[in-house]
Amino acid sequence: MAEKKAKEFFSEAEKLAIRDAIVAAEKNTSGEIRVHMENHCKGDSVKHAEKIFARLGMQKTAERNGVLFYLAVLDRTFVIYGDVGIHDKVDDHFWDSIRDHMLPLFKDGRFCQGLCEGIKLAGDKLCEHFPHKDDDVDELSNDVSFS
Ligand code: CA
Ligand code: CA
């Protein structure tokens, strides 16, 4: 049986659940979270995630606090990439605990659940440094994107 490619990896209901997780997380923080999926990751996964981050215009947030969850489904590659505004405030291990929470779920094939829980944890962590503001703007789309 062929493995599922990025676009058919999640059902419509799962994509909505991920979107809802992002909307819920962004209710608590000015940080912006996105999920992007591909089949294959070219070259170094972190450098590639950085390129995708830029291609999605995620560096254009006012506080430079965008977070990308990047998945290459056929390569089983996964990166959480945060913008410079976050790096200025936290150490390099900021995302490790989120990764560590998600990876066992991914290994168990529970990708949607892993992503939704990771998004929630990211929202909780972002909230400490970038609290939600009354005049919040939804700067980046909450829908899962593909390339
Ligand atoms: Ca926002
Ligand atoms: Ca958003």
Side-chain angles (χ1 to χ4, degrees):
M1 197 174 79
E3 288 190 86
K4 278 189 188 169
K5 292 190 174 175
K7 276 184 185 148
E8 54 267 17
F9 193 79
F10 287 126
S11 68
E12 289 305 315
E14 287 174 323
K15 278 186 255 182
L16 280 177
I18 293 164
R19 185 183 201 288
D20 285 349
I22 293 173
V23 170
E26 290 184 4
K27 283 209 171 97
N28 297 318
T29 176
S30 63
E32 291 284 331
I33 299 168
R34 282 199 74 148
V35 175
H36 188 85
M37 300 173 66
E38 288 187 308
N39 292 326
H40 297 287
C41 175
K42 298 171 199 89
D44 178 79
S45 58
V46 175
K47 284 208 180 93
H48 184 69
E50 190 177 2
K51 259 186 226 161
I52 297 284
F53 190 95
R55 203 184 299 160
L56 292 169
M58 291 188 66
Q59 74 284 15
K60 291 177 188 156
T61 59
E63 295 180 271
R64 298 297 303 265
N65 56 3
V67 178
L68 172 65
F69 287 81
Y70 169 80
L71 276 84
V73 296
L74 297 181
D75 294 344
R76 294 281 189 257
T77 301
F78 164 54
V79 177
I80 307 175
Y81 187 86
D83 206 350
V84 292
I86 301 167
H87 286 290
D88 288 348
K89 300 207 178 199
V90 301
D91 64 46
D92 292 341
H93 303 295
F94 189 59
W95 307 112
D96 289 358
S97 62
I98 299 176
R99 261 190 87 87
D100 291 348
H101 180 87
M102 294 171 71
L103 282 177
L105 291 166
F106 279 11
K107 287 201 176 110
D108 201 26
R110 291 143 81 190
F111 291 96
C112 181
Q113 186 190 348
L115 263 178
C116 288
E117 291 185 10
I119 289 162
K120 181 178 187 313
L121 290 170
D124 291 346
K125 289 212 169 214
L126 283 169
C127 172
E128 295 169 18
H129 302 279
F130 302 97
H132 187 264
K133 294 174 182 157
D134 289 340
D135 59 350
D136 181 71
V137 177
D138 188 17
E139 296 172 286
L140 300 170
S141 167
N142 304 321
D143 291 317
V144 180
S145 55
F146 305 92
S147 58

